[in-house]
Amino acid sequence: MYRSMLFVPGDSEKKIAKSQQVVPDAIILDLEDAVAPANKPAARALVRDYLVAGRGKRRVPLFVRINPLTTPEALDDLAAVMVGAPNGIVQPKAGSPEEVRRLGHYLDAFEAQHGLARGATRIVPVATEVPEAMFALAGYAGVADRLAAITWGAEDLSAAIGAMTNKDESGGWTQPYAVARSLCLFAASAARVAAIETLFADFRDEAGLAQAAARARRDGFAGMIAIHPGQVETINGAFTPSADELAHARRVIALFEANPGAGALSLEGRMLDMPHLVQARKIVALAASPSS
C-alpha cells in the first residue's frame, strides 16, 4: 500500500537528492511531463545511474514515469532504466488496459535481459488522462497481475477535451473530473488494487492539502500523489489510521472471530455486518504495512 507517492523530476540531481530528506512510501522519478524534450536523454542517464547506484539499499520503492507508449520515447526510457531494476513503472496517458498489457510484454523482455524475476516490475497506470480511457476502465481487472495501483489525472484530460478549467468556484472538481475520479476508484477496486488520489497542485496550501487527502481517504483512496517533499508528511498522516480507528477495527474483528458464522452482531450499540468486518480488516492491514 502506498500512502504517498512523490514525483521528482528525472533531470534534476538536486531535487532527486532532496527527495531523500523525507520518507514517502514511494518515489516516482519522472521522465515525462516534468522533463523538457531536449533534456530527456540526460534525464534517462541520470535516472539510470541513480537506480543502479541504489540497488540493494533503497529506503523506499522507486518507480519511473516513462513517456506514453504512443511515443517513441517510451522504449528509449525502458531501455535506459530497466538495468537499474526499478520497482515499478508509472504509465501515463494509458488509453486502455490493453496498453498496460503491452507494457507488461515489454517488461517481460527487459526483465529477462537483465536477469530480473518475471513480474518484479509493477505498473501504476494513470488511467484517465485521455478521453477514450473513460470507456475502458472496467477492464483493469483483467491485467491485475502487474498492477501495483491505479491513479488518475485531470490536467491532460482537461486539455484533451478543451475544458476551460477542471475546478468549480469552491475549488472542487467539476462534473467531468468527478466522474473520472470515481471511475478510477471503482476500476481499482474491481482489480483489487489500491486507488491513488491525484495531486494537489498548490504545495504551499497545507490546509487545502489536508482537506483533499481527508476527502480521498473518506471516499476509499488508499494514498495520494505528492509533487513536493513538503506534502509527504501531511499525506502520510491522512492515510494512516488513528489509534482510535485501529482499536475499533480490532474490536470488530475480535467480535466476529468470537462469533463464527454470525452475519450480524452488535458492538457498542451499533449493528455490524460483513461490510464492517471487511473495512476493519482493511484498516488493520493498512496500519500493519503502510508501504507494502
Side-chain angles (χ1 to χ4, degrees):
M1 204 73 74
Y2 300 107
R3 298 168 302 175
S4 55
M5 301 187 79
L6 173 62
F7 267 106
V8 182
D11 62 346
S12 174
E13 191 170 0
K14 179 180 178 181
K15 290 180 179 178
I16 291 174
K18 189 175 181 180
S19 71
Q20 300 303 302
Q21 299 173 14
V22 295
V23 187
D25 286 345
I27 290 173
I28 302 170
L29 302 165
D30 191 11
L31 295 177
E32 194 213 8
D33 285 346
V35 179
N39 292 343
K40 289 187 187 291
R44 290 185 192 108
L46 181 60
V47 169
R48 178 200 63 216
D49 292 347
Y50 182 74
L51 289 167
V52 170
R55 284 188 69 171
K57 52 185 178 182
R58 291 174 186 165
R59 296 187 306 153
V60 300
L62 297 179
F63 285 69
V64 177
R65 180 164 72 167
I66 62 171
N67 286 276
L69 285 194
T70 53
T71 69
E73 286 89 355
L75 281 176
D76 291 340
D77 294 340
L78 292 172
V81 305
M82 285 301 293
V83 67
N87 298 91
I89 299 296
V90 174
Q91 182 176 0
K93 300 177 180 64
S96 70
E98 286 304 313
E99 287 191 20
V100 177
R101 184 174 285 111
R102 181 153 60 97
L103 174 58
H105 293 327
Y106 294 154
L107 293 177
D108 287 343
F110 282 111
E111 286 168 346
Q113 177 184 354
H114 296 295
L116 306 175
R118 186 179 184 277
T121 316
R122 309 297 297 281
I123 299 173
V124 177
V126 188
T128 67
E129 291 185 306
V130 293
E132 61 268 27
M134 298 300 103
F135 305 101
L137 284 163
Y140 279 100
V143 294
D145 56 331
R146 275 196 187 266
L147 289 182
I150 300 175
T151 190
W152 75 287
E155 301 307 319
D156 286 288
L157 184 60
S158 300
I161 67 174
M164 296 175 64
T165 180
N166 52 36
K167 295 290 185 71
D168 62 22
E169 294 78 5
S170 66
W173 297 111
T174 59
Q175 191 61 31
Y177 310 98
V179 170
R181 178 179 183 269
S182 297
L183 289 175
C184 170
L185 183 62
F186 296 139
S189 183
R192 290 178 167 78
V193 298
I196 305 298
E197 176 68 289
T198 193
L199 60 87
F200 184 81
D202 187 353
F203 60 84
R204 295 163 297 187
D205 183 1
E206 186 174 340
L209 172 65
Q211 292 172 357
R215 286 194 297 267
R217 186 174 175 223
R218 174 201 66 191
D219 291 344
F221 287 89
M224 187 171 182
I225 298 293
I227 57 167
H228 188 278
Q231 294 183 319
V232 169
E233 183 177 358
T234 298
I235 291 174
N236 281 351
F239 289 95
T240 300
S242 69
D244 287 345
E245 284 181 285
L246 186 56
H248 178 74
R250 287 173 172 159
R251 287 197 297 272
V252 171
I253 293 169
L255 180 63
F256 277 94
E257 288 178 346
N259 296 273
L265 295 165
S266 175
L267 177 65
E268 301 168 354
R270 182 182 179 190
M271 293 303 298
L272 304 175
D273 54 17
M274 286 299 110
H276 297 99
L277 177 60
V278 170
Q279 182 65 12
R281 286 172 173 163
K282 287 182 178 179
I283 289 171
V284 170
L286 180 61
S289 54
S291 59
S292 63

